[in-house]
């Protein structure tokens, strides 16, 4: 019987098409997977770059702190006007803002951006201000024997300021002597670990010899720390300038006709007070301190001077206040990052 041959025409083409489809799908899948992995790798690289920029900006904020401490410590605690924009280095790809949480603790929020992709990371870092540790032995320290007048009140008991918004002072500390005289200029003008020259270099307000009437300056609800006659608001810490405690240096003889302030007042020459004046913090006068007749001068903190005229008829009251001194020295404090993990990824 004759054998018949099966018709196999077209099978090779069909198998080839099927193979091409399968190979094409495999190639497309491999290409897609490779492309996605490349994109993921690029995103990861950009993410790490933005993270590095943000982290570098956070630590850079600590470096620029001394040059801008007045603007940061002049803010009130959150949720009030606590946010202070921080200056970034030229050409940098980050933005930073310092938020004051309490008297000594700040949160620095930094947003870093990768240069090519624009991906951003936001980090938060806690910075604590370590104030100078004062070594004060008396409410009033002079370089000559103290001769107080009938209107002079010197109190060595630790006395917080009377304003209710100074309630965060905590318990009273140790008392000091009401008066003290010493010829030792280092003890007279030194504040613990910092001498007069060190405090002068850290002064945020530099003034020539002259006449001044310090008072808080607020514009649009913001304390104007750039105004040289704005020495903070010690009378009312609830006001925008209540957290501002500058270090003021008078480069020569100074006369105060009236006003109030807080912080550290350094006078290279003589200081004469011709009008009612209240100060919270430290007053250091390298020359002579004089209160004019009929003038009331009140200090919560400590006063040091080479000499003083306390018997001319003026009323001078000096109350030792460790709380006011601590607040005053925040402006000269050191910004320090926590020893353990002090930063957190915000988003």
């Amino acid at each position: 019987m004759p054998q018949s041959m099966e018709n196999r025409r077209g099978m090779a083409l069909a198998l080839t098409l099927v193979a091409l489809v399968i190979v094409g799908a495999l190639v497309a899948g491999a290409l897609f997977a490779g492309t996605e992995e490349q994109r993921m790798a690029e995103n990861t690289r950009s993410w790490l770059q933005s993270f590095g920029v943000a982290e570098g900006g956070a630590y850079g904020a600590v470096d620029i702190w001394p040059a801008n401490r007045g603007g940061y410590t002049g803010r009130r605690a959150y949720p009030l006007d606590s946010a202070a924009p921080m200056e970034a280095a030229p050409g940098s790809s980050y933005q930073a803002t310092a938020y004051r949480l309490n008297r000594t603790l700040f949160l620095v929020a930094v947003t870093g951006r990768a240069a090519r992709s624009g991906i951003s990371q936001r980090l938060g870092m806690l910075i604590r201000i370590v104030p100078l540790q004062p070594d004060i032995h008396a409410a009033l320290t002079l370089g000559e024997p103290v001769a107080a007048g009938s209107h002079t009140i010197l109190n060595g008991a630790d006395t917080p300021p009377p304003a209710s918004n100074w309630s965060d002072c905590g318990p009273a500390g140790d008392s000091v002597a009401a008066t003290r005289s010493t010829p030792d200029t280092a003890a007279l003008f030194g504040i613990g670990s910092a001498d007069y020259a060190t405090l002068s270099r850290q002064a945020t307000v530099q003034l020539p010899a002259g006449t001044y009437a310090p008072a808080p300056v607020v514009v649009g609800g913001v304390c104007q720390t750039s105004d040289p006659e704005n020495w903070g608001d010690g009378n009312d810490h609830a006001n925008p300038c209540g957290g501002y405690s500058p270090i003021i240096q008078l480069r020569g003889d100074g006369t105060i006709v009236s006003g109030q302030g807080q912080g550290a007042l350094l006078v290279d020459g003589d200081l004469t007070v011709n009008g009612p004046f209240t100060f919270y913090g430290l007053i250091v006068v390298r020359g002579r301190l004089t209160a004019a007749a009929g003038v009331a001068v009140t200090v919560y903190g400590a006063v040091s001077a080479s000499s003083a005229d306390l018997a001319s008829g003026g009323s001078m009251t000096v109350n030792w206040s460790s709380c006011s001194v601590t607040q005053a020295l925040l402006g000269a404090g050191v910004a320090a990052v926590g020893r353990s993990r002090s930063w957190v990824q915000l988003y």
Side-chain angles (χ1 to χ4, degrees):
M1 174 182 282
Q3 296 180 352
S4 61
M5 301 292 295
E6 296 182 3
N7 189 358
R8 296 176 178 262
R9 288 179 299 175
M11 290 299 295
L13 179 60
L15 291 174
T16 302
L17 292 176
V18 171
L20 288 175
V21 170
I22 295 174
V23 172
L26 292 174
V27 172
L31 181 61
F32 177 78
T35 303
E36 290 301 308
E37 288 184 1
Q38 182 181 6
R39 290 176 179 175
M40 292 173 60
E42 291 178 351
N43 290 337
T44 301
R45 182 181 62 181
S46 298
W47 183 88
L48 291 174
Q49 286 177 346
S50 62
F51 182 88
V53 171
E55 187 177 25
Y59 284 99
V62 180
D63 295 335
I64 66 173
W65 194 277
N68 302 275
R69 59 165 58 94
Y72 308 146
T73 57
R75 297 286 180 163
R76 293 178 294 176
Y78 184 85
L80 300 175
D81 54 338
S82 62
M86 305 188 73
E87 182 179 354
S92 60
S93 301
Y94 70 88
Q95 294 178 338
T97 304
Y99 298 89
R100 188 170 192 171
L101 304 181
N102 56 34
R103 294 177 66 189
T104 60
L105 192 64
F106 288 79
L107 171 66
V108 176
V110 184
T111 301
R113 189 177 302 276
R116 296 178 59 184
S117 64
I119 294 178
S120 62
Q121 288 286 317
R122 185 172 172 86
L123 300 181
M125 175 176 286
L126 290 176
I127 294 179
R128 183 175 297 277
I129 305 302
V130 182
L132 297 177
Q133 299 302 315
D135 185 20
I136 297 174
H137 299 279
L140 175 65
T141 303
L142 298 179
E144 61 182 21
V146 180
S150 59
H151 299 285
T152 302
I153 300 175
L154 304 175
N155 178 19
D158 193 7
T159 306
S164 60
N165 45 51
W166 282 79
S167 57
D168 59 344
C169 287
D174 297 335
S175 298
V176 299
T179 62
R180 179 191 181 206
S181 61
T182 175
D184 185 0
T185 56
L188 186 61
F189 302 124
I191 308 297
S193 58
D195 56 13
Y196 188 89
T198 300
L199 288 179
S200 298
R201 287 193 296 268
Q202 297 180 353
T204 53
V205 179
Q206 301 275 355
L207 299 174
T211 301
Y212 299 95
V217 179
V218 179
V219 176
V222 178
C223 181
Q224 302 301 303
T225 58
S226 60
D227 192 306
E229 290 201 57
N230 179 8
W231 297 359
D233 193 347
N235 289 339
D236 191 353
H237 273 192
N239 282 341
C241 290
Y244 179 47
S245 297
I247 299 177
I248 310 113
Q249 183 182 18
L250 291 177
R251 295 184 174 275
D253 297 338
T255 300
I256 297 177
V257 294
S258 64
Q260 61 111 344
Q262 62 181 357
L265 175 59
L266 312 177
V267 184
D268 293 348
D270 298 335
L271 177 63
T272 302
V273 183
N274 289 334
F277 179 60
T278 303
F279 196 79
Y280 303 82
L282 290 171
I283 297 179
V284 182
V285 183
R286 296 188 67 88
R288 188 171 183 82
L289 173 61
T290 302
V295 173
V297 179
T298 303
V299 177
Y300 284 90
V303 177
S304 296
S306 293
S307 61
D309 183 1
L310 303 179
S312 61
S315 173
M316 179 173 290
T317 301
V318 181
N319 296 293
W320 159 243
S321 176
S322 61
C323 180
S324 296
V325 170
T326 301
Q327 174 77 12
L329 295 179
L330 284 177
V334 178
V337 180
R339 294 183 179 180
S340 59
R341 176 172 173 173
S342 59
W343 61 268
V344 63
Q345 186 174 0
L346 300 178
Y347 65 79

